[in-house]
Amino acid sequence: MRTRKWLLAAVVGLTAWAFAPGPAAGAAPARYLNLQQCMYYWGPAADHFTTVTPSSDGRFKAGTNVSDTKDTAPACGAGDGNFAPVPILSGVTALDLRSGRYLNLQQCTYFSPSAFDYFTTVGGSQDNRFKAGTNVSDTQDPPNDAVCGSGDGNYVLVPSESYTRSLDLTSGKFLNVHQCLFYSAEHTDHDTKYLGGGGSYSAGSNVSGTADTAPVCGPGAAGYDPIPLLSGVRALPLS
């Protein structure tokens, strides 16, 4: 009797599975990459840092996603009581993935000598002095020609750490956005990187046929070390 009941349950389950609705064949991929940038700041240390992806510490998350609708505000974590979100330097860049072949991911790094504070942006915010010109296009942007804001006089652009990586959106099923946080205990300073070619402060953002599960980060240098807790990767489906 137990065998018959099991067989009946299996048949019912199989029938339900066979007629359950599934994803539509040939469904179009999501149209927009909503690149969310969340800036955090701790006043006593004059220390900024950005996030674009979630990490192991949800207090500093950012909700970058792909969707058929444009996001209008970033979904940022609340911070940890010391570091708090900075709305004027946080924002969303909604990019139409159907408008071109390449995601020209731009990274702009700024530095304040008086505060000894680095921070990096990848998109726009309410303060265009610190923008980064990430875009989707049929042409590849020059690698050393990121479109960055000029800073505010206190924070100035660091050209050697500001550049573009052109990712071919047709070359894989996933856009893997890597976020690598580095920290200097000597200077009480965090900085984030999203790009790079294997250098000390690099991050391995890419387009691939597989979804990355861990960020690929450089080893750091000059007293700046990787912080795994605040580093992460977001694998976004392109098809």
Side-chain angles (χ1 to χ4, degrees):
M1 183 64 69
R2 181 177 301 175
T3 302
R4 290 181 180 177
K5 288 182 178 179
W6 180 88
L7 285 172
L8 178 60
V11 170
V12 171
L14 182 60
T15 302
W17 172 84
F19 289 97
R31 179 164 186 175
Y32 297 103
L33 166 62
N34 292 304
L35 184 63
Q36 298 196 8
Q37 172 180 290
C38 295
M39 181 75 73
Y40 299 90
Y41 178 68
W42 182 29
D47 185 13
H48 296 79
F49 70 88
T50 55
T51 63
V52 168
T53 76
S55 67
S56 297
D57 192 335
R59 298 173 297 178
F60 300 104
K61 70 179 181 179
T64 292
N65 66 85
V66 289
S67 173
D68 284 326
T69 58
K70 295 182 180 182
D71 289 349
T72 57
C76 301
D80 65 356
N82 292 320
F83 285 88
V86 183
I88 196 173
L89 292 173
S90 302
V92 178
T93 302
L95 300 168
D96 188 342
L97 294 170
R98 302 177 193 174
S99 65
R101 177 173 177 174
Y102 298 100
L103 170 64
N104 293 305
L105 186 56
Q106 299 195 3
Q107 170 180 289
C108 297
T109 296
Y110 299 88
F111 176 65
S112 168
S114 61
F116 209 98
D117 179 32
Y118 288 92
F119 68 80
T120 297
T121 63
V122 293
S125 69
Q126 297 174 52
D127 192 336
N128 282 328
R129 297 175 297 178
F130 301 103
K131 70 178 181 181
T134 295
N135 65 87
V136 173
S137 173
D138 279 325
T139 58
Q140 296 175 282
D141 288 351
N144 297 318
D145 195 22
V147 179
C148 301
S150 59
D152 64 357
N154 181 21
Y155 284 84
V156 296
L157 185 67
V158 183
S160 63
E161 296 186 28
S162 303
Y163 43 87
T164 300
R165 185 166 186 185
S166 296
L167 303 175
D168 187 344
L169 296 170
T170 69
S171 65
K173 294 181 178 180
F174 295 94
L175 169 62
N176 296 302
V177 181
H178 289 228
Q179 169 180 291
C180 296
L181 254 291
F182 298 88
Y183 178 69
S184 167
E186 177 184 357
H187 299 295
T188 319
D189 181 42
H190 295 78
D191 191 22
T192 318
K193 294 293 182 266
Y194 303 96
L195 304 177
S200 297
Y201 302 109
S202 65
S205 295
N206 66 85
V207 173
S208 172
T210 57
D212 291 349
T213 57
V216 177
C217 300
Y224 282 81
D225 299 312
I227 306 296
L229 180 68
L230 293 172
S231 300
V233 62
R234 192 71 182 262
L236 302 169
L238 296 174
S239 61

